[in-house]
Amino acid sequence: MAAHFDRRLRKAAVTTTVAAVAVAALSASQAPDVTADGNGRQTTSDNVPTSDTPAADSATGNSPYYTDLPPLNSPSPAPTTGTPTSPGSSEAGIPATVLDAYKKAESELRRAKPGCNLPWQLLAAIGKVESGQARGGRVDANGTTIGRIIGPQLDGNGFALIKDTDNGVYDGNSSYDNAVGPMQFIPSTWAWAGRDGNGDGKEDPNNVYDAALAAGHYLCRYDWDLSVQADLNRAILSYNNSQDYLNTVLSWLEHYRKGTHEIPDGTGSLPVGRSDDPNTGASPTPGRTGANPGSRAPSTPSPSTPPASEKPTKPGSPSTKPPTDPAPPTETPAPTPTPTPTPTDTVHHLENAGTTGLTATAGDTFAKRISTRAETKAGDAVGKVRIRFTVLGDTDATFTGGEKVAAVTTNASGVAVAPALVAGEQTGAFTVRATVVGRTVPGLDYKATVTERVADTLTSTGTKELTCTPGGEFADQVEVKATLKGAVADKVAVTATLIKSDADPVENDKGPYFKDADGKAVRTLTGRQTDAEGLLRLPKLYADDTEGTYILRLTTPGGATLDITLKVAEPAEPTPAPSTDPSTAPSAQPSTEPTA
């Protein structure tokens, strides 16, 4: 057993050494736009701005990640699953269910946000450094991890300080947050970024389909084009704010782009190096300089850490102390210093900073933007606090960029102004809630309303009189154009009703009619909208046997009204033309007047 453990130690040591030596080569040969400086540190050739996203507003809370680099030689793609046949293939391969989740997420994002150009290989690269592809693909048939993957608690002890936001629902910790699942979302981010990727009606961060789709939407939440290197770098940095993290993900991204293969679930290898382990050679992310109080890896001994009895002593010192050595003096542990309150810690409540009248027509941008002020208990402004704005309710309204969540930092006056709201096509009321990121204080709700598109004028495009014989059908269809202040009014709802008369505008029970899908007579049409040119053509009209003159009334939101006259009558008898045959002319009658 000791020999086996010693072999594991030697293997881990070699792996660490090789990884450190390979950094420069990988940086130059595999990571796009990544080079190595004279000391072997990775740098980007373009001036990529470092994300200023606080830990509490990133996907992972800037949690630790795996630092293992990909093999120097990319594997050849294999179309089928099976037992790996080449050395290191379990390390380079991707478990079947995990790979399927990445590809499904890419397909969905291609449909939902085509301008983002999200490659599934990016999700695979992030999944590799975050959880080792769900701990080597330890997932069930539905894609849920076998056992939860929980990162260390973010208690400020060597990591970011993020107090509990989910009452321990996802991470089992009611004091602090932990990153959760194969893509390592912190609960506060999952609360708005979570998605149902496998269609089971749940948003579970421990399900690889849900987590992969959520990660895709997270990376595409702004107007970033991930085919552009600068945007790609920004997106990755927003996931975990570390230059080393960026370089590691880019290396795996390029590796997977060159080719990978599918391996059976549960056969992948778990990475060894971690960013919070000083022995891996990776620079820790800012704010994460202490030892790791927890681990995402399965609860097995780390191959790089020998048991206490086998730990080497300092060079030149005896391996054991003489039995006559005095007992070491008892040291009184230093008291834990009280952390300095952050601005977030001082927030007592949120106040409306003057937002009123949130109303917009469908498809338009709301003229007013939501403003929220963070205040202390005494009512003083609190700057440098992240405020999260979330669109709630049954609505398709979003913020600019298509997302329903936006986080904004308060200014020196304690005010955060949300991005502009854009109304969708769904009308009605909804709510935008403002909350403090990283602190549990009551949210502040703003009511908003989307109204129907309107038109102030309707005109007929036809010039012919609309007539029909009893029991027949009208030869021409009614077409109208809607305008608002002279401009085309598109997507405006139009209601068409055959009324009894101008003085009695109720629906008529006789005369012309439309037909429904079953061929039955209907005399009121709703749910019709004008097209992009403001035009609407109504279905064909028919007539019953009742002759007369009828009115078709069309109305729109905004007050536009148009009456169209319809006539139902038998055709007039043709008038015979005068005869030109002399034989049919009346003959002259003899005069009966007496002659003189």
Side-chain angles (χ1 to χ4, degrees), residues 44 54 140 172 192 228 265 279 281 436:
T44 52
D140 63 20
W192 61 264
V228 176
D265 290 344
N279 294 323
V436 180

Side-chain angles (χ1 to χ4, degrees), residues 33-47:
D33 297 325
V34 176
T35 59
D37 63 16
N39 297 316
R41 293 188 297 265
Q42 294 179 359
T43 59
T44 52
S45 59
D46 56 344
N47 185 20

Side-chain angles (χ1 to χ4, degrees), residues 480-493:
V480 296
K481 182 173 184 177
T483 56
L484 178 64
K485 297 180 180 179
V488 167
D490 64 324
K491 296 183 181 180
V492 173

